[in-house]
Amino acid sequence: MGAAQQVAGAFEELYGTAPDGVWAAPGRVNLIGEHTDYNDGFVMPFALPHVATAAVARRTDGVLRLHSSDVEGGVVEFSLDALEPGTDHEWTAYPAGVVWALREAGHPVTGADVHLASTVPTGAGLSSSAALEVVIALALDDLFELGLQRWQLARLCQRAENVYVGAPTGIMDQTASACCEQGHALFLDTRDLSQKQIPFDLAAEGMRLLVVDTQVKHAHSGGEYGKRRAGCEKGAALLGVDALRDIPYDELDSALDRLGDEAEVRRLVRHVVTEDHRVERVVALLEAGDTRAIGPVLTEGHASLRDDFQVSCPELDLVVEAANAAGALGARMTGGGFGGSAIVLAEAADVDTIAKAVEEAFAAAGFKAPRVFEAVPSAGARRAD
C-alpha cells in the first residue's frame, strides 16, 4: 500500500468518512545560500523525497480538526473564528496558522478535517514545518478552488510561520516545498521571487549528495536566529541600504570599513554578501556543467557560517572535517544552524567510505550516532492520490 492510501485509510478510521483527497509536500535541502533569504538575497534549495502527506476533507461549519500519526494524542479541534496568533505552541500551530493566514487574506475557507503523516525528519534543518504548511495550503487551495499560484501559497505559509507561530523565517523553505522540480535545484531570488530551475542530476554524473543529520535538535523560534536577523537589519540600516543584498560583492571591503568597530555586525554582513556571491558561483558552475567544482564552494560556505555567522556546532563542524578528510568533494552545514544537518558532495564510489569515516568520528568524539541518507532532488508539492 502506498503512503497516500495509508494516510487516506487512517483518515477514514479517524473521521468515519473518506477524505476529499490526499496531498504531499516535501522537505528540502539547501545546496547553498544560508541566512540570505531574509536579506532579500539568493538561495538554492532542492526538494527531498521525504514528504508531509495530508488527507483532507472540506467542512462548512467553521471547524478545523487536526490529527497527526507522528504525534501522540487524539484529534485536536479548533473554531476558525477563534484562531489567533501566539495562542498555540504545539505542532498544530503550523497547519492552523495556514488556515488563519488564508482567511486573513480574504480566502473563503470554511473548515476542514485533516490527518497528517510525515517522513521529513523533524529538527534536522530539513524544513519539516514548511512541508506541513505547504501541504495544508495546497490541499485547501484545491478544495476551496482558491486559484492561488505556488509562490502565493509559499508567501501565505511564510506569514503563518512568522506571525501565527512566531518564527522569523524567510521565504525559502516554503517556496522550495511548493515549487521545486525533480532533478533540479531552485535558484530563487527572494526579493522578487523570480525562479530558475537549474539541472542537478548528480547520479547521471557519478556523484551523490549525502545528508548527515547530527541528531542535534534546533528550533527557529529560539532567540539566536532572531538575533542574527536583527543584526543583519542593523547592518543594512547602518550602510543605508534596504537589505544586505544591495551591497555588491566587489564593494564589500569598503562597506565593512564603514561599519567601524561594529564587530558583530561586520561578521554578519561579510557572511551574507559572500554567501550571495557563492550562490551565483554555484549557479554558474552548474550551468557550465562543472558540477564537481561546486564542492570547494560548499566548504567555503561552511567556514563562513561557522566563523562569521557563528551558527554551527561541534557536531556539524566534525561532519565537514571528517567527510573532507575522507575524500569528499565538499561539505557544509545546511539549514538555520545550531544543530540539524550537513550535506556532503561525493563521488558515488566514495560514499560508503565517507559515511563510515563520519560515523567513526562521531563515535570517537562521544557524540550520538548521526543519521546518514542520500538526498535526491525530487518533486515539489503535489496531489498524491
Side-chain angles (χ1 to χ4, degrees):
M1 189 191 289
Q5 288 169 300
Q6 281 184 323
V7 174
F11 180 99
E12 202 160 342
E13 272 180 45
L14 268 174
Y15 296 114
T17 179
D20 294 332
V22 182
W23 290 261
R28 64 96 190 99
V29 159
N30 192 24
L31 182 63
I32 192 78
E34 222 63 81
H35 291 278
T36 49
D37 61 345
Y38 53 81
N39 288 293
D40 281 4
F42 304 126
V43 294
M44 203 174 181
F46 63 87
L48 287 167
H50 307 72
V51 294
T53 306
V56 186
R58 276 177 57 131
R59 295 180 68 103
T60 57
D61 59 357
V63 171
L64 173 66
R65 293 196 292 180
L66 299 170
H67 184 268
S68 169
S69 64
D70 307 308
V71 182
E72 281 185 27
V75 174
V76 185
E77 188 170 309
F78 297 88
S79 160
L80 297 192
D81 291 338
L83 294 177
E84 194 68 43
T87 57
D88 186 354
H89 303 289
E90 304 299 326
W91 70 270
T92 46
Y94 296 97
V98 171
V99 176
W100 170 83
L102 283 164
R103 284 166 53 87
E104 274 278 302
H107 300 295
V109 176
T110 55
D113 286 339
V114 178
H115 172 65
L116 288 148
S118 180
T119 59
V120 186
T122 56
L126 303 174
S127 298
S128 57
S129 57
L132 200 53
E133 293 156 0
V134 170
V135 76
I136 297 296
L138 184 63
L140 297 176
D141 179 55
D142 279 0
L143 290 177
F144 290 95
E145 298 177 342
L146 305 179
L148 294 165
Q149 301 288 319
R150 290 301 181 94
W151 67 268
Q152 292 173 305
L153 292 179
R155 270 269 187 250
L156 286 161
C157 290
Q158 183 200 13
R159 179 164 165 74
E161 188 147 349
N162 289 173
V163 180
Y164 197 89
V165 178
T169 52
I171 190 68
M172 172 179 67
D173 297 351
Q174 293 84 0
T175 306
S177 187
C179 301
C180 278
E181 290 180 8
Q182 193 163 343
H184 291 76
L186 179 71
F187 176 36
L188 173 68
D189 181 332
T190 64
R191 171 166 282 170
D192 63 12
L193 298 189
S194 59
Q195 302 176 15
K196 189 174 186 182
Q197 301 286 347
I198 308 291
F200 191 55
D201 184 357
L202 292 173
E205 298 188 60
M207 282 174 284
R208 298 284 185 274
L209 192 81
L210 295 179
V211 174
V212 182
D213 175 4
T214 63
Q215 309 273 4
V216 177
K217 300 294 181 193
H218 73 147
H220 270 176
S221 36
E224 289 300 318
Y225 184 97
K227 234 188 265 181
R228 302 300 187 286
R229 184 166 183 162
C232 290
E233 287 165 1
K234 181 180 179 181
L238 288 171
L239 291 166
V241 292
D242 290 338
L244 295 183
R245 141 71 172 282
D246 297 313
I247 306 295
Y249 176 72
D250 55 9
E251 292 174 23
L252 175 59
D253 288 344
S254 65
L256 294 177
D257 287 345
R258 277 162 40 218
L259 289 169
D261 58 2
E262 290 276 359
E264 190 179 344
V265 174
R266 280 166 59 96
R267 283 192 291 96
L268 298 177
V269 169
R270 183 165 53 224
H271 167 72
V272 173
V273 176
T274 58
E275 186 79 347
D276 272 333
H277 186 56
R278 279 186 284 275
V279 178
E280 293 180 300
R281 285 162 63 199
V282 167
V283 170
L285 288 166
L286 291 177
E287 290 190 322
D290 197 2
T291 305
R292 282 172 176 80
I294 74 172
V297 187
L298 301 184
T299 303
E300 199 183 294
H302 182 79
S304 181
L305 287 159
R306 181 192 65 211
D307 301 337
D308 278 343
F309 225 70
Q310 298 187 357
V311 291
S312 190
C313 65
E315 291 85 351
L316 288 167
D317 293 341
L318 186 57
V319 175
V320 173
E321 195 182 301
N324 283 336
L329 296 164
R332 74 173 192 92
M333 58 156 281
T334 186
F338 313 109
S341 298
I343 55 173
V344 178
L345 183 68
E347 301 289 355
D350 296 337
V351 160
D352 292 344
T353 307
I354 290 165
K356 189 166 181 267
V358 170
E359 286 160 359
E360 287 174 352
F362 267 56
F367 294 152
K368 187 176 177 181
R371 177 173 178 237
V372 184
F373 59 92
E374 188 182 342
V376 181
S378 301
R382 59 215 178 258
R383 182 99 185 213
D385 54 359

